[in-house]
Amino acid sequence: MSTLQWIDAKSVDEAVALLSADAHGTIAKAGGMDLLDLIKEGIVAPTRIVNLQHIDALRGVQFAQATGLRLGALTTLAEIAGNSSIRERYPALAEAAAHAATPQIRNAATIGGNLLQRPRCWYFRNELFHAARQEVGREQAQYGAIFDNSKTTMVHASTPATALLAYGASVHVAGKSGKARAIALSDFLLPPDFNRPRDTALANDEVLTHVSLPAIGANTRAAYHKQTERDSYDWPICDVAVVLTLANGKVEAAKIVAGAVAPVPRRLTASEKALVGREIDESVAAEAARAAVRGATPTEKNSYKVPILETVIRRTILAAMA
Ligand SMILES: Cc1cc2nc3c(=O)[nH]c(=O)nc-3n(C[C@H](O)[C@H](O)[C@H](O)COP(=O)(O)OP(=O)(O)OC[C@H]3O[C@@H](n4cnc5c(N)ncnc54)[C@H](O)[C@@H]3O)c2cc1C
């Protein structure tokens, strides 16, 4: 029988030191929602778990008009969904958190762990495929990527990431000797890979400390929609976040991001360009949505996602203006 050591770290420095001392056998735990699954699925087999839950510095939601929003890594999805400042100023993020997983999971799942979770691809999660270290049956990937999918059809599992990217979020990490760095979330998330221990730019011996979002202007409108097969909790067919800055009734700047359609959430620059300088109505929103799906490369089993994505983009643009 293998043994497992459990340590309640009291500070970020202590957690970093423990992770640095044994980068392969030691693993951090936040809410434990994905970690427990990964252990059960035989994807990770830690000998030591560093529990982050007692580190006060990783907690807290702070908002300031001048600097924006700071989310401690241990902020739960339920806290994000229920926070009044976030609901008022970053509604697409609040909606994304509110629609992730189930109420029980949202109460435990943290934003740090959510961004660091591994993909939900059947072939990745099923131990029968671990030996192959690759996606067997790529063409069967009915929930997989419809863009940028020549190397992998796995998609990043985080749905809050879609909204965070649309708000221009950055991730902050701490490493050895107090070394801290900030990384744009767009650079932090990496395409999922069977052969890497994680799908982010986090190093083995680093702790994610917080996520920051820039301040939001008064003329910002935003919306988020997660499209699922069923109304009860489910992983998305796609999700879309739209953040628009308006001036004199026209779109001055647009950020549109879609998740679950590419290995990492995809910025829809063609849709953004189609909106800038224009007043939004049904036909402008439809044109922008059409622009996004041009060039999609679905597999045999997931071409159904293309028209769904187009519809969700159009509706989410209109919802942002409602
Ligand atoms: C039924 C079901 C439905 C779900 N639906 C959704 C959904 O719709 N959308 C969605 O986004 N997610 C969904 N999830 C996934 C769930 O949201 C994640 O498992 C959860 O957010 C992970 O957060 P955690 O705090 O529990 O992370 P943990 O499981 O504790 O950690 C995850 C990983 O991150 C590492 N880690 C955690 N925090 C830190 C840190 N601060 N520094 C360094 N490393 C760290 C851990 O070592 C581990 O590798 C679903 C899960 C289930 C079971």
Side-chain angles (χ1 to χ4, degrees):
M1 192 174 77
S2 55
T3 56
L4 186 62
Q5 191 187 7
W6 176 284
I7 300 183
D8 288 328
K10 299 288 184 310
S11 68
V12 171
D13 286 349
E14 185 191 353
V16 167
L18 287 162
L19 292 168
S20 310
D22 171 25
H24 298 295
T26 301
I27 198 158
K29 184 202 77 72
M33 294 293 103
D34 197 36
L35 183 56
L36 196 60
D37 279 353
L38 294 171
I39 293 173
K40 287 191 292 191
E41 289 152 352
I43 295 165
V44 295
T47 50
R48 184 164 69 171
I49 287 184
V50 177
N51 180 25
L52 305 176
Q53 290 286 355
H54 298 277
I55 306 178
D56 290 342
L58 298 181
R59 294 201 177 277
V61 175
Q62 284 139 23
F63 173 76
Q65 194 60 53
T67 51
L69 183 66
R70 182 192 192 281
L71 299 170
L74 291 178
T75 309
T76 65
L77 301 183
E79 285 167 342
I80 293 173
N83 183 285
S84 54
S85 281
I86 300 177
R87 291 207 76 78
E88 189 186 329
R89 293 174 171 99
Y90 302 90
L93 174 60
E95 278 297 293
H99 287 93
T102 66
Q104 293 93 331
I105 292 171
R106 291 195 291 275
N107 281 334
T110 68
I111 191 64
N114 182 274
L115 293 173
L116 294 164
Q117 67 177 303
R118 303 238 42 206
R120 284 282 154 180
C121 165
W122 295 336
Y123 305 104
F124 176 77
R125 294 278 170 171
N126 189 325
E127 62 184 339
L128 294 175
F129 296 98
H130 291 175
R133 309 301 296 167
Q134 60 178 313
E135 283 172 78
V136 183
R138 178 182 179 280
E139 291 304 316
Q140 305 303 316
Q142 73 186 76
Y143 298 108
I146 56 171
F147 294 100
D148 309 329
N149 52 4
S150 61
K151 292 207 177 103
T152 182
T153 54
M154 287 194 279
V155 296
H156 198 283
S158 169
T159 48
T162 303
L164 287 170
L165 279 161
Y167 284 118
S170 294
V171 166
H172 301 255
V173 305
K176 274 191 275 191
S177 318
K179 198 171 152 214
R181 58 190 182 114
I183 311 149
L185 183 58
S186 50
D187 296 330
F188 186 71
L189 301 176
L190 303 177
D193 186 334
F194 268 69
N195 296 301
R196 269 199 308 250
R198 54 179 62 82
D199 315 303
T200 61
L202 190 83
N204 280 340
D205 55 2
E206 284 179 325
V207 168
L208 196 162
T209 55
H210 61 284
V211 178
S212 64
L213 282 75
I216 285 293
N219 293 327
T220 303
R221 306 282 184 91
Y224 169 86
H225 182 77
K226 174 180 160 188
Q227 186 62 46
T228 51
E229 270 180 327
R230 53 183 190 183
D231 281 343
S232 175
Y233 77 87
D234 202 357
W235 296 94
I237 292 168
C238 65
D239 65 342
V240 172
V242 173
V243 178
L244 306 173
T245 310
L246 303 181
N248 304 318
K250 292 185 178 164
V251 176
E252 193 176 52
K255 270 225 184 148
I256 307 181
V257 178
V261 295
V264 289
R266 182 183 171 89
R267 180 120 177 240
L268 305 178
T269 47
S271 297
E272 294 170 2
K273 278 194 198 123
L275 296 183
V276 172
R278 302 176 74 181
E279 266 177 51
I280 291 184
D281 59 18
E282 277 272 355
S283 72
V284 170
E287 191 187 316
R290 252 191 324 273
V293 296
R294 259 178 230 130
T297 54
T299 66
E300 191 188 313
K301 290 278 168 146
N302 69 18
S303 55
Y304 75 98
K305 286 179 101 171
V306 177
I308 293 177
L309 175 65
E310 183 177 337
T311 303
V312 173
I313 297 167
R314 175 174 55 78
R315 289 183 182 168
T316 313
I317 292 169
L318 293 171
M321 296 301 294

